[in-house]
Amino acid sequence: MQRIIGLTGGIATGKTTVSNYLKSNYNLPVFDADVYAREAVEVGSPILDAIASRYGSSILARDRSLNRRKLGEIIFNSPSDRQWLEQQIHPYVRQRFSEAIEKTNTEAIAARNGGDPPKPPLKTPSASLPPLAKACPERSRRGGVWGGSSATTFDHTEAIAARNGGDRGLVSEEQNWPEGQHTQGQSQSIALPTLVLVIPLLFEANLTHLPTEIWVAYCPRQLQLERLMARNNLSLEQARSRIDSQMDIEEKAARADVVLDNSSTREGLLEQVDESFEFLA
């Protein structure tokens, strides 16, 4: 089964540090919602035209690109404007994630088949599917992986199904099998690459169906405020408005499969990443 890590957290809690490390140290494909959101409002895009129509040409810079600072002043102080903007951008981001996952997996299957395109899928016999674990292991809320001795037997496909009310989402019972490797009662699938989806608004945008496990980069709110003010040169009021525009970091941590505590050193954070990645592999 394919492993898809959904990395989220709050503003200035360490998501970029974690995603960069997963990419450089483990050579994982990383897809970032912020990158897609910037694509969505490029010059000439329908979404940028809609933004300019709503707020006027003053929302644009001299080169006709989006004045992000001016838009930020609006949406971080107006929930209704923020909701409108998200309704424009989120569908585009969802589509780009789906395209990226499909493209990556198609290329992996083609490489396994010697460069040939994927063969038509064959239905995996339902009897070969692993049963849902009788009980989901207790999960620690700070600094690492799920607790419980049975954690390594947790079925990520069932995790997606549980989040989707029975829908397995992007992970399907149908797989592409190399010729001669699929027989009745034998479930030997092509190994698809582990992916990382960086989605700051994973919970807020209802994108929890995409990953098979959810990682939250965490630090206490006061430390988050201090880091955001220093990083973006913001006042206390500006930093608070940006943090308050997202779900509370404590609630995100409570919903996570893995919580990475970034309240200490970078080295300590990356040690937790290694532990979580290897333990849940």
Side-chain angles (χ1 to χ4, degrees):
M1 175 191 347
Q2 184 173 26
R3 183 181 190 184
I4 303 178
I5 298 170
L7 176 61
T8 189
I11 303 173
T13 61
K15 298 182 300 296
T16 300
T17 299
V18 173
S19 64
N20 286 345
Y21 182 71
L22 288 170
K23 182 177 182 179
S24 63
N25 198 59
Y26 291 96
N27 197 31
L28 300 181
V30 174
F31 305 110
D32 194 326
D34 283 346
V35 173
Y36 298 145
R38 287 192 290 270
E39 287 181 3
V41 294
E42 288 180 346
V43 175
S45 69
I47 295 176
L48 182 59
D49 290 344
I51 293 171
S53 177
R54 181 179 177 90
Y55 299 111
S57 59
S58 63
I59 203 70
L60 303 177
R62 290 184 177 180
D63 62 358
R64 310 303 293 174
S65 64
L66 179 64
N67 187 325
R68 298 180 184 277
R69 179 173 289 273
K70 185 170 290 189
L71 181 62
E73 292 172 355
I74 296 172
I75 65 172
F76 289 123
N77 293 285
S78 171
S80 61
D81 283 296
R82 185 170 64 251
Q83 182 180 26
W84 177 85
L85 182 65
E86 290 172 351
Q87 288 172 346
Q88 312 308 308
I89 293 178
H90 286 177
Y92 177 88
V93 172
R94 291 190 189 97
Q95 180 62 30
R96 292 290 283 116
F97 271 127
S98 296
E99 291 171 352
I101 294 171
E102 181 179 3
K103 181 176 184 291
T104 302
N105 289 347
T106 299
E107 290 174 351
I109 294 170
R112 177 69 179 269
N113 291 340
D116 294 331
K119 300 178 185 300
L122 297 174
K123 181 78 171 179
T124 302
S126 58
S128 68
L129 293 175
L132 175 63
K134 292 183 179 179
C136 190
E138 293 297 324
R139 298 169 184 176
S140 62
R141 288 201 55 226
R142 291 291 180 269
V145 301
W146 299 327
S149 60
S150 63
T152 55
T153 65
F154 187 75
D155 187 335
H156 298 302
T157 305
E158 299 296 349
I160 294 179
R163 291 191 188 117
N164 296 345
D167 182 4
R168 293 172 182 264
L170 293 174
V171 179
S172 171
E173 295 179 17
E174 295 182 351
Q175 298 286 344
N176 290 282
W177 304 94
E179 186 174 357
Q181 291 191 9
H182 181 271
T183 60
Q184 183 71 21
Q186 178 184 5
S187 56
Q188 183 180 355
S189 62
I190 290 177
L192 296 175
T194 296
L195 307 179
V196 179
L197 312 182
V198 185
I199 313 177
L201 301 181
L202 177 69
F203 298 110
E204 297 90 332
N206 297 316
L207 293 174
T208 55
H209 64 286
L210 290 179
T212 57
E213 57 198 69
I214 295 174
W215 293 19
V216 167
Y218 168 90
C219 72
R221 178 182 172 90
Q222 184 58 38
L223 183 55
Q224 185 183 6
L225 275 168
E226 294 171 3
R227 288 175 173 172
L228 180 58
M229 291 168 63
R231 188 189 74 181
N232 291 23
N233 193 27
L234 299 176
S235 68
L236 178 59
E237 182 180 356
Q238 289 173 322
R240 280 177 175 165
S241 69
R242 281 156 176 75
I243 291 174
D244 289 342
S245 71
Q246 297 184 355
M247 180 184 293
D248 183 77
I249 190 61
E250 298 293 339
E251 185 175 352
K252 289 188 177 186
R255 297 187 183 191
D257 298 316
V258 171
V259 175
L260 302 168
D261 190 346
N262 188 25
S263 57
S264 183
T265 64
R266 182 179 185 274
E267 291 71 22
L269 173 64
L270 299 184
E271 285 178 4
Q272 295 172 55
V273 174
D274 289 333
E275 178 189 357
S276 301
F277 186 79
E278 294 168 5
F279 185 85
L280 295 177

